Amino acid sequence: MLDAFTSKELLSNIPVQIESICTHEDKLFVGTKQGTLLVYKFEEDKIDLSLTLKGFAKRSINQLALVTVLDLNQLICLSEGVLTVHNTQQQTIQLPGEQLSKARGAAIFAIHQSRAIDEQPSGQMAVAVKRKIILYHWLKKGLPQVVKEITLYDVPKAMVFHGESYSDQLYIGLKGKYCQLQLSSENVKELLCTGKQLEATMLWVDKNTVAICKDEWSILLGEDGKPCQDEYKSNIKWCDCPTGLLQCKPYIGAVIGKGLEIKTKQLVEPIQVIELPKVRFVAQDKRIFVASTTHLWELKLNDLVYQVKIIIKIKTTLYSM
């Protein structure tokens, strides 16, 4: 196997329970079960706890995301059905945040950010409230505005936007199945079942491709919702059912029972298996972080030129067999 990544433990046995993470540039935001928000800052290989906000949320912080379009720097926080927006300008975080009342009772949200083109929104957010999808847009500075509400026939469990600029497609994981929602027409197209693992796992891979997981497979779908026919985008089989996905080109990784499995979209055999106990969360921007409820690791990509040579050698050996 090839050592594509090196894992470095950053935090261990911390006194609070990690429930969510997100990262942007040199900062990592950690949401906890106790409602405390931890903000870490990175300088080269050094990590410092720059801010601790006890009581940031009344209950567990289930999901975090940072919106950076229009130079907003807004931290979106979901805590037990309450969705709040916090400005993070000038090294501070607004408390209390602005609550989005329409999204009360939210279970999950998904965010898509891009440069504005022809008056299209720079940022989009889909919020799942029971069977309803509430679509928000950022068209200018300030809070996101509700533009549409769409009712589905089941409760969304996972969501990911599809598209590089403005996105008109939302891939949704329902109980036991995946579907594709066209936001403009509100048309719903059923895709595949999730298989023996009822929880949906998805990843936006590139401008034309979304990966969805069924059993031990990640199936790459194009804009039409059909499996890709490109030989360089074949389906990927993992050694266990993925509960999360990450991408760092040319690699794609899956969170599995023993830690992380790393592959490329072209090779059948694993490139690397990184044993990390009870990994649940993934966050990536300029850096890649994975976490359990008590530990945090950073994944560092090793020398890419050397790795490409090894991958070519592996592919040549496989094709000659």
Side-chain angles (χ1 to χ4, degrees):
M1 286 191 183
L2 175 68
D3 286 337
F5 294 90
T6 299
S7 62
K8 179 182 179 182
E9 186 177 82
L10 301 176
L11 301 172
S12 62
N13 297 317
I14 62 174
V16 289
Q17 183 173 319
I18 298 172
E19 282 293 310
S20 55
I21 58 174
C22 77
T23 182
H24 179 66
E25 294 185 345
D26 64 343
K27 289 182 179 178
L28 176 71
F29 299 84
V30 178
T32 70
K33 186 176 182 179
Q34 293 78 7
T36 299
L37 179 72
L38 307 174
V39 183
Y40 292 91
K41 191 170 182 180
F42 293 86
E43 293 183 9
E44 296 180 355
D45 290 333
K46 186 180 178 183
I47 176 173
D48 289 315
L49 179 60
S50 63
L51 191 61
T52 300
L53 292 175
K54 292 184 177 180
F56 178 80
K58 293 181 179 180
R59 298 182 181 179
S60 176
I61 301 173
N62 308 112
Q63 192 177 353
L64 291 168
L66 194 68
V67 176
T68 58
V69 294
L70 300 171
D71 297 321
L72 284 172
N73 290 319
Q74 291 180 347
L75 183 66
I76 312 299
C77 171
L78 176 61
S79 173
E80 301 297 332
V82 178
L83 195 64
T84 50
V85 180
H86 305 259
N87 288 321
T88 63
Q89 302 282 9
Q90 300 176 345
Q91 308 301 315
T92 61
I93 296 180
Q94 174 194 352
L95 283 176
E98 300 284 348
Q99 185 175 329
L100 301 182
S101 57
K102 280 271 189 179
R104 189 162 187 84
I108 54 169
F109 66 86
I111 286 178
H112 181 70
Q113 303 184 67
S114 64
R115 295 179 180 177
I117 301 174
D118 298 330
E119 300 302 317
Q120 298 282 21
S122 295
Q124 299 166 268
M125 178 168 66
V127 183
V129 180
K130 297 181 179 179
R131 293 190 298 114
K132 188 179 292 185
I133 299 290
I134 303 174
L135 186 64
Y136 289 84
H137 283 176
W138 282 269
L139 286 166
K140 56 185 179 180
K141 290 190 176 182
L143 294 176
Q145 301 300 310
V146 176
V147 294
K148 181 174 283 194
E149 296 183 15
I150 303 171
T151 301
L152 302 176
Y153 58 85
D154 204 349
V155 178
K157 303 292 185 182
M159 301 186 295
V160 62
F161 282 96
H162 180 276
E164 198 165 29
S165 55
Y166 171 73
S167 176
D168 191 42
Q169 292 180 344
L170 186 69
Y171 280 75
I172 302 172
L174 304 171
K175 185 177 180 180
K177 66 178 67 175
Y178 295 96
C179 67
Q180 182 190 57
L181 171 64
Q182 188 169 11
L183 298 172
S184 55
S185 67
E186 302 185 14
N187 181 57
V188 178
K189 178 182 178 180
E190 290 194 1
L191 301 174
L192 300 169
C193 67
T194 58
K196 59 190 177 186
Q197 182 158 314
L198 296 180
E199 293 300 320
T201 301
M202 297 180 287
L203 175 72
W204 178 52
V205 177
D206 57 38
K207 61 181 180 180
N208 296 317
T209 315
V210 168
I212 66 174
C213 293
K214 178 181 179 180
D215 297 330
E216 294 87 3
W217 291 87
S218 285
I219 300 165
L220 303 178
L221 304 179
E223 290 179 291
D224 57 1
K226 296 179 180 179
C228 295
Q229 301 301 318
D230 190 331
E231 64 175 321
Y232 295 105
K233 291 183 178 179
S234 57
N235 297 332
I236 303 167
K237 187 174 184 181
W238 308 100
C239 64
D240 198 356
C241 296
T243 57
L245 295 172
L246 62 89
Q247 180 177 236
C248 181
K249 294 182 179 179
Y251 303 111
I252 185 167
V255 177
I256 57 175
K258 64 176 70 174
L260 293 171
E261 183 178 356
I262 307 298
K263 285 192 171 187
T264 70
K265 294 190 284 289
Q266 295 80 37
L267 294 178
V268 175
E269 295 300 317
I271 293 291
Q272 184 181 13
V273 175
I274 306 171
E275 294 192 5
L276 300 172
K278 299 180 180 179
V279 170
R280 287 181 53 192
F281 312 107
V282 176
Q284 60 182 117
D285 185 47
K286 291 183 177 180
R287 297 171 181 252
I288 302 174
F289 301 98
V290 294
S292 67
T293 56
T294 57
H295 289 67
L296 175 74
W297 299 268
E298 181 180 5
L299 296 184
K300 290 192 174 183
L301 186 65
N302 294 325
D303 181 70
L304 198 55
V305 175
Y306 170 74
Q307 292 179 55
V308 169
K309 291 179 180 179
I310 297 298
I311 291 172
I312 292 172
K313 185 176 179 181
I314 293 171
K315 289 180 69 174
T316 303
T317 303
L318 289 172
Y319 289 141
S320 64
M321 292 175 66

